[in-house]
Amino acid sequence: RDFNERCAQCSEVNWGLTDGGRFYCRSCHNVTERTREVVNTDFITNSRVQTISKGSRKQEKNGGGSEWYICEGFQLVLKKQVEALEALGVSSQMKDEILCNFWRCYLQKSKQAYCKRPAGKAVKALSVCESSTDVDSDPERPSLLHLLSLSESEGDLQTDCSFASSVSKVSESTSVYSGSVDGSLYLMKSQKEKLRMTMPMTLSFCYMTLLWMREPITLSELLRYVVEGHIPYLNVFQHFPEKMKLCGLDLKIFCVESWPVYEEVFNKMHELAAFLDLPRFPDITESCFLHPDMLCMKYLMEANLPDELHNWTCRVVKKIGIGEVDFLTLVPGNKSTRKVKYDVLAAAVIVVVLKLLFLLDDHYEWLLSEHAEERNKNNTEDGPYFEFKKWYEVVKHSLDVQQKKLDEERAKYLWRCEKPLFYSVKNKAKVLKRRQMVVNLQNQFGKLSGSVQRAEKPNPSSFQLSWSEKNTDGSCFHRHSLKGILQEKRGLLTAMNPDYWLCTVKLCNEKLCGHLAHYKEVEFPQSYHFVLGLFSFLLRVQPSYIHDEVCMIEHKLFNKKLYKKLKYNTVLRK
């Protein structure tokens, strides 16, 4: 109350106190170098204790780096990722208005910032630092990190100096070397702590933000952009500021040596949303990109299937109610609703429609293809009839080429980053020397062999397989007609095929075994396996994930018939 000077940045008079005794502006989060004199009666009655600010961050003796925390490293990773997403066309509101609030909420819920002293056994040993100042009673005042913002300059995050110095003493006393202040303490945390921040969880944060904003990017696309290098993830720590020394145990936290897994990122996103106590997400309506009708249209185009199939996918979506707002909208913590994988669900709808029309039993689809081929020979007026056999040959050839290209790129991928890594201070000089020798040898051999430099990575695209209607070779099937396999009945077009085979008669308990049904390639027709493999490649997920959704849709679609059949079988057994 005694400090009435205006803030140099926003000219407001709204000051709070940090644990280090410095004033910070509650309006713009500016931290000044001014300190205050406080009266502390915990030690000696009627005595005045002068708290002296430590000013800028303490510089480490080795290497001249600044003290930094693991959560600050993850914040820089999130910043790099969200900037990459904005470069891809995501709304600029994502960083400062949505993701930043989610991140602050996570820091507060996990007791890393925006709260009182972090609780825990490791921190109890540091309680000696708590009697250093007379802190402000404002509950919103951060204790560990001062009002972080994803817009702040890299590595320039204000840290509680008194707490940092105490953690440093504990870190120095451990036998394991770490560049961060709390690297060893971070790994010492209980493994039961499910939401300890990890690199895959940074992608969960990004996907949760994209879902909240209803951006036209699915989880499968997000992970594909990561693999293609458009979104920083692998070796992202090499973009850390120079003063943030990263070595030892820090590498186990930030060094990633595997591709992100769809199921892990998806599940962690739902756990994270429930952990943060987020309200109901914005509604997924018919005009939203994540609605099954919209995604089915996209995947039909990418799979080179006829446009007329979209009418059938819409009918299936409407009939079983998976296009309803309440079914699609995420409600964190609601265990009664099933978690929706929007991209996998849309692909499964297309598979079910193909089974309805072509059966996919390795016999009926080829019979229809022969009839369509005969009709196309005599057809001169209308558009061509869809031939499943020809579509299979064209798509399989293109799919094999793309799969081989993907396998080669993954095999050639250099997991080692350009920035040398070392796990111990003793090995630092040796590692740097070896790295320099490797670079020199690569340059010399490159000149001798005349090797071509790597081409720049292509611009990201929502489509992995593209089909042009301008091609005269008939490789595009978008405009092909389904008349040869449909018949009009009571004013509606229905499939000529009256049969249908179910992937499974009874679903498994998803909570117990993790899947609604078990998928083995040898137990299903090759046509069905090919279609699953096609969408598995497009979404970069396991075929079993799509198979689960197919089984779920089938049981919703044929629920009455299945109920009668199961009831009839029960009566016979009795």
Side-chain angles (χ1 to χ4, degrees):
R1 297 178 181 176
D2 299 333
F3 189 53
N4 297 323
E5 294 185 12
R6 294 186 177 274
C7 177
Q9 289 190 4
C10 64
S11 301
E12 293 288 334
V13 182
N14 187 17
W15 300 102
L17 272 181
T18 68
D19 286 355
R22 289 186 293 177
F23 291 98
Y24 74 92
C25 179
R26 292 193 181 96
S27 300
C28 67
H29 311 154
N30 177 38
V31 182
T32 69
E33 295 297 329
R34 291 290 300 273
T35 61
R36 63 166 290 188
E37 292 184 357
V38 295
V39 178
N40 195 328
T41 59
D42 294 339
F43 302 101
I44 304 174
T45 308
N46 298 327
S47 64
R48 297 173 64 83
V49 179
Q50 176 73 31
T51 300
I52 301 176
S53 171
K54 297 190 178 183
S56 61
R57 291 186 171 198
K58 176 183 175 183
Q59 299 292 315
E60 294 182 359
K61 296 180 182 179
N62 298 326
S66 297
E67 290 180 341
W68 61 281
Y69 292 86
I70 294 298
C71 60
E72 292 180 288
F74 281 117
Q75 178 167 309
L76 290 176
V77 173
L78 285 172
K79 180 184 177 184
K80 292 292 183 181
Q81 290 175 346
V82 73
E83 287 175 350
L85 286 169
E86 289 180 354
L88 294 176
V90 175
S91 173
S92 58
Q93 298 177 351
M94 179 179 180
K95 181 168 66 173
D96 292 330
E97 295 186 19
I98 310 298
L99 181 58
C100 186
N101 290 330
F102 287 164
W103 177 241
R104 289 178 177 179
C105 184
Y106 170 78
L107 291 178
Q108 185 180 33
K109 292 279 186 181
S110 59
K111 297 183 180 181
Q112 298 182 63
Y114 304 99
C115 62
K116 295 181 180 180
R117 296 289 185 187
K121 295 181 180 179
V123 182
K124 287 180 180 178
L126 311 176
S127 59
V128 66
C129 68
E130 294 187 2
S131 58
S132 60
T133 59
D134 178 23
V135 298
D136 190 19
S137 60
D138 188 354
E140 297 180 356
R141 181 191 55 76
S143 172
L144 179 58
L145 301 176
H146 297 298
L147 297 172
L148 305 185
S149 171
L150 293 176
S151 299
E152 294 184 44
S153 59
E154 295 181 354
D156 192 23
L157 307 176
Q158 299 294 333
T159 308
D160 182 351
C161 297
S162 61
F163 185 69
S165 60
S166 302
V167 178
S168 299
K169 295 177 182 178
V170 176
S171 298
E172 290 170 3
S173 64
T174 58
S175 59
V176 184
Y177 182 72
S178 174
S180 61
V181 173
D182 58 340
S184 56
L185 294 176
Y186 192 83
L187 291 178
M188 285 168 58
K189 291 182 179 180
S190 174
Q191 295 296 328
K192 295 181 180 180
E193 189 176 352
K194 297 181 179 180
L195 284 177
R196 183 176 63 179
M197 194 65 189
T198 59
M199 284 300 295
M201 270 187 65
T202 61
L203 300 178
S204 299
F205 263 103
C206 292
Y207 178 56
M208 183 172 65
T209 308
L210 292 170
L211 183 57
W212 182 276
M213 300 177 66
R214 296 179 293 183
E215 288 287 341
I217 297 181
T218 61
L219 177 56
S220 59
E221 284 181 312
L222 176 68
L223 300 186
R224 179 165 60 85
Y225 292 151
V226 169
V227 174
E228 293 175 354
H230 302 295
I231 298 177
Y233 181 74
L234 302 175
N235 300 326
V236 67
F237 54 83
Q238 62 186 344
H239 301 295
F240 281 11
E242 191 63 30
K243 57 185 178 180
M244 290 180 65
K245 301 297 180 181
L246 186 124
C247 52
L249 291 178
D250 303 327
L251 302 179
K252 294 184 179 181
I253 300 172
F254 293 101
C255 185
V256 180
E257 296 182 350
S258 60
W259 305 106
V261 180
Y262 184 102
E263 196 75 9
E264 180 183 4
V265 176
F266 179 81
N267 290 334
K268 284 296 181 182
M269 186 278 292
H270 283 269
E271 291 181 26
L272 189 59
F275 177 73
L276 300 181
D277 292 329
L278 295 181
R280 177 187 170 106
F281 276 50
D283 292 345
I284 305 296
T285 59
E286 292 183 358
S287 61
C288 180
F289 177 80
L290 297 176
H291 193 276
D293 291 345
M294 300 287 284
L295 286 176
C296 283
M297 185 185 302
K298 175 184 182 300
Y299 295 140
L300 285 172
M301 294 177 61
E302 194 166 10
N304 198 17
L305 288 166
D307 298 336
E308 293 182 18
L309 285 176
H310 187 248
N311 295 328
W312 285 83
T313 59
C314 291
R315 289 170 64 178
V316 171
V317 168
K318 185 177 181 180
K319 183 174 180 61
I320 62 178
I322 60 174
E324 300 295 330
V325 173
D326 292 337
F327 177 83
L328 296 173
T329 305
L330 173 60
V331 181
N334 188 355
K335 297 182 180 180
S336 61
T337 57
R338 192 167 184 267
K339 302 173 184 177
V340 181
K341 301 171 184 175
Y342 302 97
D343 39 11
V344 180
L345 179 66
V349 171
I350 297 176
V351 175
V352 171
V353 168
L354 290 177
K355 287 182 66 179
L356 286 170
L357 300 181
F358 298 96
L359 200 57
L360 301 184
D361 64 345
D362 289 344
H363 174 71
Y364 186 74
E365 64 270 21
W366 307 119
L367 184 63
L368 289 177
S369 183
E370 292 177 1
H371 291 317
E373 184 179 2
E374 291 295 328
R375 293 181 181 181
N376 284 331
K377 292 179 180 179
N378 303 323
N379 183 20
T380 57
E381 298 179 358
D382 299 332
Y385 291 122
F386 177 70
E387 299 179 34
F388 187 89
K389 181 180 179 181
K390 187 177 181 181
W391 170 82
Y392 170 83
E393 293 173 349
V394 171
V395 174
K396 188 177 188 305
H397 173 73
S398 180
L399 184 61
D400 290 342
V401 171
Q402 293 298 323
Q403 185 65 56
K404 182 179 179 181
K405 181 180 177 182
L406 177 63
D407 294 339
E408 290 177 352
E409 290 177 353
R410 290 190 173 184
K412 294 178 181 178
Y413 186 81
L414 297 176
W415 290 97
R416 290 188 177 184
C417 64
E418 298 177 359
K419 189 176 182 180
L421 306 175
F422 51 93
Y423 289 85
S424 172
V425 179
K426 297 179 181 179
N427 299 332
K428 180 177 180 180
K430 187 183 296 184
V431 170
L432 293 175
K433 185 178 180 180
R434 286 181 178 177
R435 180 60 182 171
Q436 187 61 42
M437 291 176 59
V438 170
V439 172
N440 293 337
L441 288 173
Q442 287 177 342
N443 293 336
Q444 293 176 13
F445 280 109
K447 292 179 181 179
L448 292 174
S449 61
S451 58
V452 182
Q453 294 183 353
R454 295 180 186 176
E456 296 182 359
K457 56 185 177 183
N459 295 327
S461 173
S462 296
F463 293 90
Q464 300 176 73
L465 304 177
S466 58
W467 314 93
S468 176
E469 297 180 6
K470 297 180 181 179
N471 293 344
T472 57
D473 57 356
S475 60
C476 181
F477 295 86
H478 292 161
R479 299 293 182 182
H480 286 217
S481 174
L482 298 177
K483 291 181 179 179
I485 60 173
L486 299 178
Q487 60 182 356
E488 188 172 348
K489 188 177 181 180
R490 298 177 182 176
L492 292 176
L493 288 176
T494 60
M496 296 177 61
N497 167 39
D499 301 323
Y500 190 90
W501 59 272
L502 292 172
C503 293
T504 181
V505 177
K506 187 177 181 180
L507 298 177
C508 298
N509 190 330
E510 192 173 16
K511 294 182 179 179
L512 295 178
C513 60
H515 293 278
L516 289 174
H518 295 280
Y519 176 73
K520 294 182 180 179
E521 180 182 351
V522 295
E523 297 178 355
F524 294 92
Q526 286 300 309
S527 296
Y528 176 72
H529 175 69
F530 172 77
V531 174
L532 284 189
L534 170 61
F535 289 105
S536 172
F537 173 81
L538 296 178
L539 304 183
R540 306 290 175 87
V541 298
Q542 295 295 327
S544 59
Y545 294 163
I546 305 175
H547 179 71
D548 278 0
E549 298 297 322
V550 169
C551 294
M552 183 271 293
I553 293 172
E554 288 179 345
H555 277 252
K556 284 180 175 288
L557 194 61
F558 302 104
N559 183 38
K560 293 182 179 179
K561 294 182 179 179
L562 278 172
Y563 177 75
K564 290 180 180 179
K565 184 176 181 180
L566 291 173
K567 187 176 180 180
Y568 176 73
N569 291 337
T570 304
V571 173
L572 288 178
R573 289 175 183 175
K574 291 181 179 180

